[in-house]
Amino acid sequence: MSINRRIFALTVMLLLQLLINGCSIEDSNNQKEMQTVGSVFYKEAEFSNDIGGSPVSCIGMNNKNEVVAYLKDENKLVSIGQNHVISMDLDIRTDTFENVQLEFDTAGNIYVLGQDIIADDYKKIIQIKRQLIIFKAQGEYSERNNTTKEIGEGYMPLKDEIIEKIKIDSKGNLYALKLSGYIEVFNNELESIDVHDKNRYADFDIDEHDNLIVLYRKQWNKNRIEKIDSNSGKTIWQEEYNGAAAPNYIYYNRNTKNLYGLNSKSIINIYKNSKVFDYSQISIVEGASLFLVNENEDVYMLIHNGGTSTLKKYVRQEMKADTVNKQEQKELIVEITFDRSNIISNAARQFEKDNSSIKIKVVENDIPMSDYVKKLNTELLAGKGPDIFCTYLYDLSDCAKKGLLADYNELIGKDDTFDVNDYFSSILYGIKYGEGLYAIPLTYSFEGFLVNEKLLKDKGLTIDENWTWKDFYKIAKTFTNNDSNIQCYMLPKLTSTLVLLESQIIHDWDYYLNKGSKTARFDTDEFIDALHTYESIYDKGVMHPDIDEITIWQSAKGAGNEHILLMPVSYCSYFDIRFFGNIFNGNLKMMPEPKGNYTTSRMFTGKNISINNNSRNKDEAWQFVKYLLSEDVQKKWSVNSFVINKKASEAGINEIIEYQNQSKKENEHRITEMDIKQLDYIIENVLNKNRTSDAINRYLWSELRPFFDKQISAERMAEILQNKVELYLNE
């Protein structure tokens, strides 16, 4: 199915949010590692004060570079790197607040905002109690600056009122970023005096002139930072970021007047457009949130690892490169296209700890995929390139034929510690060329349909997992010639019907094209028939005239869904079932896409990892790939992705079910054992081919445009395609 549909599906699906019970300052006995950006190195530093493993929920820094942390379990503030402790006495609850934020004003006074979040049995928030306490710069408690407010349901869901971050302007006003993405301004009595609600923000800060610096919520892998004049409200400066470089959080240091951004890999100086610190190369960090950068560009970060959080400090040092690590190490270069939650980077850091003679450099591709493929192919042909690379849809055939890629069959054959029975075999071997195995998917997804079983029964139709695209169009004809009293449509109003033709031809790609013999079958009756059946989807009665895919996702159980037979979806994980189940009020069957009419191909899309056959460290590269395929690493993907390791997949299912059992949300589909079995059957018995996209495939869709626009007939289109593909094959 189309990439557009995949992007849409990934956008609308909510990710599992695991509760984090505070965070703790990490044990200082951990091995300290070094990292370089140019001539600058960062060392993970110890904290001079001993506060053990006490949970920390927030940190703040004053204009003297003094950092204060709130210890959740002990209910107190601690000055990091100094000897004094600032005691607190919060009296809304007998224990600790569920949520605490802190910040300094320009005079060094500490503002502490506590939030007590009260929910009902269904975890719906019904009340929030807020308390603002202001400490003087010396740490004394000021009774007159102790304000309590209670809020109930308003015009927005109460959960959106939870405050995630606070900043203080020069007048002592408190700026609060709420979960809704809006910024509300309060005075010292917690009375609202202004609201910035025209846009939704991911983060914000305030400069020395009280100008507001905002980070817009990311849209389609892009976000924007903007500085807004505090008096006129006009934009002073703005910058847009794309891809992995886009910051997720920002921090402004009023002393140095530098603005910093934190993304999934590094900290950047936004004003200087330079990378400050690539933390992914020295620390195991699954998720970083709050961070501070002092005048020396030392970094404090709250990071999350495996459900717990730690506070880390990294000290900037100027050193010569040859003083960093005198131990001789083998270095592996690993290039990846996308590393959600830094799982591969974290695995690299752990692998290094277990294999001290190996250093792994993870490089995340930040150029368009088409440009990266050209670059990669050029490097491999020249005997260069990364030791390991991980991509989606990359066509390996030419490189495999030229011996540029390591054959996993050989590596597996001589490794007694790797058991192929630990993995889903059809997924593991889904991208073989001849007898060689040159790529293995770390994770994968596949396209398919949700079937409205009630409507299917009412129409007297049957569909099984072996259906073909011919079967698909036979069903379409029953809706086109609909003489039933049952109001029904085969499909919602599709945003693009090209996906239907694309999927039909892709599954039969090996039938229509033989690159080995340089022959094509695009001028055949079979291909012409595929074009004609595609045209028939526009016939009256097949698609719903009003309800489209977006409407269905937004409304879930909204009116009209029950009249639609098939809903196209991307299956990315077992967790998806919780959202799919609401589409047809639980009366659904999960189906794969139809298989090809002339082949048995059933496609899935893998996040494929390959080894450069010219690597000088091929055995070490295999050991790292094997580690990425292990149960421990695969479990980290298993909630939000399908994984190839069977035990990790089972662990992910158990985690989802456990989360579901703890959740009491109403109007939400509960995953059943039968739901799991439906997807298991597809994975183990249906999927068999790892999808790639070669140049001819991409060329084909650009050439089909005149047919899509109804400028030429199917017969003429087939003739033109055949001639052009033959010329292309023989160039």
Side-chain angles (χ1 to χ4, degrees):
M1 204 61 70
S2 73
I3 297 299
N4 287 337
R5 198 170 93 194
R6 179 176 306 285
I7 292 173
F8 175 72
L10 289 172
T11 301
V12 298
M13 282 189 281
L14 301 173
L15 298 179
L16 176 61
Q17 299 296 314
L18 301 176
L19 296 177
I20 298 176
N21 299 317
C23 54
S24 59
I25 291 187
E26 189 171 73
D27 186 352
S28 61
N29 293 324
N30 284 352
Q31 179 183 1
K32 303 300 181 286
E33 302 176 80
M34 305 289 284
Q35 181 263 353
T36 177
V37 177
S39 61
V40 176
F41 296 83
Y42 276 84
K43 182 172 80 171
E44 187 178 327
E46 298 180 6
F47 293 98
S48 60
N49 56 326
D50 181 15
I51 59 176
S54 299
V56 175
S57 64
C58 58
I59 55 176
M61 183 167 64
N62 64 15
N63 54 15
K64 297 180 181 180
N65 287 321
E66 296 171 338
V67 176
V68 168
Y70 171 63
L71 306 187
K72 184 175 181 180
D73 283 354
E74 300 180 39
N75 201 27
K76 65 183 180 184
L77 294 178
V78 176
S79 182
I80 302 297
Q82 299 182 37
N83 295 322
H84 64 276
V85 173
I86 307 169
S87 298
M88 294 180 62
D89 183 15
L90 306 179
D91 56 9
I92 284 183
R93 295 176 59 179
T94 56
D95 50 356
T96 58
F97 281 106
E98 186 172 343
N99 184 298
V100 171
Q101 306 295 331
L102 70 87
E103 187 51 86
F104 288 88
D105 64 13
T106 54
N109 300 312
I110 308 172
Y111 286 61
V112 179
L113 177 72
Q115 296 177 98
D116 193 10
I117 301 167
I118 303 169
D120 62 17
D121 290 341
Y122 294 96
K123 297 191 176 182
K124 179 184 177 182
I125 297 173
I126 56 176
Q127 190 179 43
I128 298 177
K129 295 181 179 180
R130 294 175 180 157
Q131 183 177 14
L132 177 64
I133 305 174
I134 303 176
F135 293 87
K136 294 180 181 178
Q138 294 75 26
E140 294 96 344
Y141 173 69
S142 178
E143 184 66 38
R144 67 182 181 83
N145 287 323
N146 186 340
T147 301
T148 301
K149 291 284 186 181
E150 296 185 12
I151 59 174
E153 286 285 2
Y155 73 98
M156 290 195 304
L158 200 54
K159 68 179 179 64
D160 287 343
E161 296 293 332
I162 296 174
I163 294 172
E164 297 184 292
K165 182 178 181 178
I166 62 172
K167 287 290 177 179
I168 314 300
D169 70 9
S170 61
K171 303 178 184 67
N173 296 318
L174 185 149
Y175 285 65
L177 176 65
K178 300 188 293 186
L179 192 62
S180 62
Y182 299 145
I183 297 172
E184 189 164 3
V185 187
F186 301 91
N187 62 20
N188 287 350
E189 302 300 321
L190 285 180
E191 296 170 338
S192 180
I193 57 177
D194 195 10
V195 178
H196 298 264
D197 58 1
K198 292 182 180 179
N199 296 287
R200 294 179 184 265
Y201 306 107
D203 202 359
F204 83 108
D205 212 321
I206 299 173
D207 72 6
E208 65 277 8
H209 303 296
D210 289 344
N211 296 317
L212 194 61
I213 305 170
V214 294
L215 173 68
Y216 288 82
R217 283 189 174 176
K218 191 176 293 187
Q219 293 183 335
W220 303 109
N221 214 25
K222 296 181 180 180
N223 60 17
R224 185 170 87 251
I225 298 175
E226 184 176 350
K227 179 183 281 192
I228 302 171
D229 185 274
S230 59
N231 296 316
S232 67
K234 294 182 179 180
T235 298
I236 300 173
W237 169 91
Q238 66 178 6
E239 185 70 37
E240 187 172 282
Y241 291 86
N242 299 322
N248 300 314
Y249 303 95
I250 57 175
Y251 172 74
Y252 182 78
N253 187 306
R254 296 183 184 182
N255 288 348
T256 64
K257 298 178 176 54
N258 281 318
L259 177 63
Y260 298 94
L262 173 74
N263 58 40
S264 62
K265 300 291 183 185
S266 61
I267 292 174
I268 59 176
N269 188 315
I270 291 171
Y271 287 162
K272 295 181 180 179
N273 194 30
S274 62
K275 183 184 291 186
V276 174
F277 172 38
D278 185 352
Y279 65 83
S280 71
Q281 299 300 327
I282 72 171
S283 286
I284 299 175
V285 180
E286 290 182 5
S289 55
L290 188 62
F291 76 108
L292 307 170
V293 184
N294 67 17
E295 290 182 359
N296 299 322
E297 288 200 329
D298 300 331
V299 174
Y300 294 83
M301 291 172 58
L302 285 183
I303 65 172
H304 314 302
N305 290 314
T308 60
S309 298
T310 54
L311 175 61
K312 287 191 176 183
K313 179 182 180 181
Y314 303 97
V315 179
R316 174 187 165 110
Q317 297 183 344
E318 298 281 349
M319 292 183 180
K320 294 181 179 180
D322 58 6
T323 66
V324 179
N325 192 345
K326 295 182 179 180
Q327 180 183 1
E328 191 67 28
Q329 287 184 314
K330 294 182 178 180
E331 184 178 63
L332 294 177
I333 305 297
V334 181
E335 290 186 353
I336 57 179
T337 53
F338 181 59
D339 188 14
R340 175 188 286 176
S341 299
N342 284 340
I343 292 175
I344 294 178
S345 297
N346 295 340
R349 303 290 76 78
Q350 185 61 52
F351 185 83
E352 288 172 344
K353 290 183 178 181
D354 298 335
N355 301 271
S356 58
S357 63
I358 301 174
K359 177 66 179 176
I360 299 177
K361 183 178 181 181
V362 179
V363 180
E364 191 160 359
N365 170 48
D366 58 357
I367 62 176
M369 189 61 188
S370 58
D371 294 337
Y372 176 69
V373 168
K374 292 177 183 178
K375 169 182 172 291
L376 181 61
N377 287 341
T378 300
E379 291 175 345
L380 293 175
L381 284 168
K384 301 177 182 180
D387 299 278
I388 300 169
F389 61 92
C390 186
T391 62
Y392 293 95
L393 297 174
Y394 176 60
D395 180 36
L396 304 166
S397 57
D398 290 339
C399 291
K401 290 175 185 177
K402 295 173 182 176
L404 303 178
L405 304 176
D407 187 346
Y408 282 117
N409 282 329
E410 297 178 5
L411 297 170
I412 292 171
K414 62 182 182 182
D415 190 339
D416 294 336
T417 66
F418 188 84
D419 188 350
V420 295
N421 295 313
D422 291 339
Y423 305 91
F424 294 110
S425 60
S426 61
I427 308 299
L428 176 65
Y429 293 109
I431 198 167
K432 293 183 71 173
Y433 286 98
E435 295 301 316
L437 180 63
Y438 301 101
I440 295 177
L442 299 175
T443 65
Y444 62 95
S445 60
F446 57 96
E447 310 300 331
F449 292 91
L450 301 180
V451 182
N452 184 337
E453 284 205 296
K454 183 179 183 304
L455 185 55
L456 188 73
K457 182 179 179 181
D458 291 342
K459 288 284 290 181
L461 298 170
T462 58
I463 304 175
D464 62 40
E465 288 78 5
N466 285 317
W467 67 328
T468 66
W469 282 101
K470 287 185 177 180
D471 296 326
F472 179 91
Y473 284 108
K474 284 180 182 177
I475 295 172
K477 289 180 180 179
T478 68
F479 285 82
T480 303
N481 303 313
N482 188 1
D483 57 0
S484 169
N485 292 326
I486 304 171
Q487 182 189 14
C488 54
Y489 303 89
M490 182 181 181
L491 296 163
K493 184 178 181 181
L494 298 180
T495 53
S496 173
T497 57
L498 298 185
V499 296
L500 300 178
L501 180 60
E502 178 187 359
S503 296
Q504 183 179 355
I505 294 175
I506 285 297
H507 284 81
D508 280 330
W509 191 248
D510 292 340
Y511 177 81
Y512 291 122
L513 183 71
N514 188 323
K515 293 177 68 176
S517 63
K518 296 185 177 181
T519 58
R521 294 178 173 174
F522 293 109
D523 61 349
T524 59
D525 291 340
E526 293 92 332
F527 186 76
I528 293 171
D529 184 56
L531 296 181
H532 280 312
T533 51
Y534 161 74
E535 288 178 312
S536 70
I537 207 67
Y538 287 102
D539 291 343
K540 185 178 180 181
V542 174
M543 290 189 293
H544 198 290
D546 302 312
I547 300 178
D548 57 22
E549 295 167 281
I550 296 175
T551 301
I552 290 178
W553 283 117
Q554 291 176 339
S555 63
K557 294 185 179 182
N561 295 4
E562 68 273 16
H563 303 306
I564 296 172
L565 180 67
L566 302 176
M567 175 66 181
V569 293
S570 294
Y571 295 102
C572 298
S573 75
Y574 289 98
F575 192 65
D576 297 349
I577 300 172
R578 301 183 74 226
F579 314 109
F580 295 159
N582 288 339
I583 299 298
F584 297 130
N585 296 317
N587 298 310
L588 81 156
K589 180 177 182 180
M590 288 172 283
M591 292 282 293
E593 282 188 318
K595 65 182 179 181
N597 296 323
Y598 311 107
T599 70
T600 59
S601 296
R602 306 297 283 274
M603 299 285 189
F604 62 90
T605 301
K607 181 175 185 174
N608 303 320
I609 193 162
S610 299
I611 297 175
N612 186 341
N613 206 28
N614 289 313
S615 170
R616 290 180 295 178
N617 304 310
K618 192 159 53 176
D619 289 338
E620 289 79 9
W622 163 241
Q623 293 303 314
F624 182 58
V625 170
K626 187 170 65 171
Y627 181 58
L628 294 177
L629 295 171
S630 69
E631 180 182 355
D632 286 345
V633 179
Q634 290 264 298
K635 279 196 298 189
K636 298 180 183 300
W637 278 301
S638 62
V639 170
N640 296 317
S641 300
F642 291 115
V643 293
I644 189 173
N645 186 293
K646 292 179 180 178
K647 289 182 179 179
S649 179
E650 183 177 354
I653 293 171
N654 291 337
E655 186 173 343
I656 292 168
I657 297 301
E658 181 180 353
Y659 172 82
Q660 176 178 271
N661 291 340
Q662 293 175 354
S663 174
K664 295 182 179 180
K665 291 183 179 179
E666 296 178 310
N667 301 320
E668 186 173 69
H669 180 72
R670 312 291 289 181
I671 299 174
T672 67
E673 184 178 351
M674 183 58 66
D675 292 333
I676 299 293
K677 286 182 177 179
Q678 285 185 42
L679 288 182
D680 282 347
Y681 181 85
I682 294 172
I683 291 167
E684 297 180 28
N685 300 286
V686 176
L687 303 179
N688 60 21
K689 189 172 180 61
N690 196 331
R691 180 177 174 180
T692 59
S693 178
D694 60 19
I696 297 179
N697 185 305
R698 296 187 294 273
Y699 173 77
L700 175 70
W701 298 109
S702 64
E703 290 298 315
L704 277 169
R705 177 53 57 189
F707 171 73
F708 295 149
D709 293 339
K710 299 184 180 298
Q711 295 175 0
I712 61 176
S713 67
E715 290 76 10
R716 179 56 181 156
M717 186 75 261
E719 182 183 348
I720 293 172
L721 271 182
Q722 180 70 17
N723 292 334
K724 290 191 174 183
V725 170
E726 285 180 349
L727 286 172
Y728 189 96
L729 288 171
N730 289 288
E731 283 181 350

